[in-house]
């Protein structure tokens, strides 16, 4: 039997175990990864990394909130994600060795778990279990990328949003016709769908007006998923 991981006793292991990359690791291998991590306290408004800088390693939010964004030359920011406890930062450059694709800043006093890239690479070569996990994670990411390309290729923004809602509903594990919580803000969904927050808001209003979804804040219900699937195929 796999030993239970105690979040009270070992927050590093608990945080890593919640990530898709490390979720399948045995307790022993997960412990080796956790032993290479350090905790970093980051005060509010402090930048964690800049877009274009070499990737130092993987960050996981233990407490607080971190904003991942891009800024143009005029300083206008486009928010990509607000990451809270248990959520990672800078996973992609950890795999490909590239620079950070965006900026990250603590929006409030935060504690981050940090795994240096050189330690990750050493573990990757030493632990076959971790190497297998990386390959599986890259496969999952490739499938998501292909699905995202197909989604963005839909010309009609309501169709893109409809498909995302169906995916979120399925991912929440709720039965058809039940309420679930949107895992993205409108800004985050807009960034994911290569559109604007205003367009996402209009699309949600259109889907509500068509009777395809019901919405109360971040709570959404899909009365008939088959009808919404038909709408998602329209472009």
């Amino acid at each position: 039997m796999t030993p239970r991981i105690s979040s009270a006793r070992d927050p590093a292991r608990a945080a890593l175990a919640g990530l898709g990359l490390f979720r399948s690791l045995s307790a022993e291998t997960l412990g080796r990864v956790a032993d290479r991590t350090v905790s970093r306290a980051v005060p509010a408004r402090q930048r964690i990394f800049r877009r274009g800088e070499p990737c130092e390693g993987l960050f996981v939010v233990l407490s607080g909130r971190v904003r991942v964004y891009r800024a143009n030359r005029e300083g206008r920011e486009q928010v990509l994600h607000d990451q809270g406890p248990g959520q990672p930062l800078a996973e992609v450059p950890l795999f490909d060795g590239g620079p950070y694709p965006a900026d990250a800043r603590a929006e409030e006093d935060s504690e981050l778990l940090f795994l240096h890239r050189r330690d990750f690479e050493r573990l990757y070569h030493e632990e076959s279990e971790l190497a297998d996990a990386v390959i599986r994670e890259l496969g999952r990411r490739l499938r998501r990328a292909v699905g995202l390309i197909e989604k963005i290729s839909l010309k009609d923004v309501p169709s893109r949003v409809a498909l995302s809602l169906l995916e979120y509903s399925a991912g929440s594990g709720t039965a058809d016709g039940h309420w679930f919580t949107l895992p993205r803000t409108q800004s985050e969904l807009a960034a994911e769908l290569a559109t604007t927050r205003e367009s996402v808001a209009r699309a949600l209003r259109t889907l509500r007006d068509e009777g395809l979804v019901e919405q109360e804040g971040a709570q959404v219900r899909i009365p008939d998923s088959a009808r919404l699937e038909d709408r998602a195929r329209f472009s």
Side-chain angles (χ1 to χ4, degrees):
M1 178 180 293
T2 302
R4 290 187 60 191
I5 296 169
S6 171
S7 58
R9 181 176 59 84
D10 196 341
R13 285 195 184 196
L16 293 174
L19 303 183
L21 174 59
F22 303 115
R23 192 170 295 139
S24 64
L25 297 183
S26 65
E28 183 179 2
T29 301
L30 187 66
R32 292 195 183 101
V33 178
D35 288 342
R36 300 294 184 99
T37 63
V38 294
S39 177
R40 293 184 176 181
V42 183
R45 307 306 296 172
Q46 179 171 304
R47 194 187 306 272
I48 299 166
F49 52 76
R50 292 179 183 272
R51 179 184 180 186
E53 289 180 342
C55 174
E56 292 184 348
L58 172 70
F59 294 91
V60 183
V61 182
L62 294 178
S63 65
R65 183 167 60 92
V66 173
R67 174 157 295 178
V68 180
Y69 65 95
R70 288 189 175 186
N72 60 21
R73 293 180 180 178
E74 290 73 38
R76 183 178 179 182
E77 296 182 0
Q78 177 191 18
V79 178
L80 302 179
H81 304 286
D82 274 342
Q83 302 292 80
Q87 295 181 305
L89 306 169
E91 286 183 294
V92 172
L94 185 71
F95 296 137
D96 66 12
Y100 291 118
D103 296 69
R105 179 183 63 228
E107 290 299 289
E108 55 190 61
D109 291 345
S110 302
E111 183 181 3
L112 307 180
L113 190 69
F114 177 70
L115 174 64
H116 201 285
R117 185 181 162 203
R118 65 170 175 267
D119 290 322
F120 176 80
E121 291 176 345
R122 184 180 297 115
L123 288 165
Y124 174 86
H125 291 294
E126 293 175 354
E127 302 287 345
S128 60
E129 188 181 354
L130 179 58
D132 291 342
V134 169
I135 292 171
R136 287 193 297 270
E137 179 65 15
L138 290 175
R140 286 193 292 267
R141 287 173 178 271
L142 179 58
R143 288 181 181 275
R144 287 199 296 268
V146 170
L148 182 58
I149 291 171
E150 292 177 349
K151 188 188 300 183
I152 292 176
S153 69
L154 296 171
K155 299 177 182 178
D156 180 53
V157 175
S159 298
R160 303 184 209 174
V161 173
L163 185 55
S164 291
L165 294 178
L166 288 166
E167 292 171 351
Y168 297 154
S169 176
S172 70
T174 56
D176 193 18
H178 288 67
W179 292 88
F180 64 93
T181 302
L182 284 176
R184 302 279 192 278
T185 65
Q186 290 185 8
S187 295
E188 291 170 346
L189 182 55
E192 184 177 292
L193 298 179
T195 186
T196 64
R197 186 193 64 79
E198 293 76 15
S199 295
V200 168
R202 286 195 296 270
L204 286 168
R205 184 166 58 249
T206 296
L207 295 176
R208 292 195 300 268
D209 291 344
E210 294 176 359
L212 298 174
V213 301
E214 298 174 11
Q215 184 180 10
E216 295 181 4
Q219 298 296 308
V220 173
R221 190 176 82 89
I222 302 173
D224 188 339
S225 59
R227 288 185 61 212
L228 191 60
E229 287 172 3
D230 288 339
R231 184 63 173 88
R233 286 193 289 268
F234 172 75
S235 60

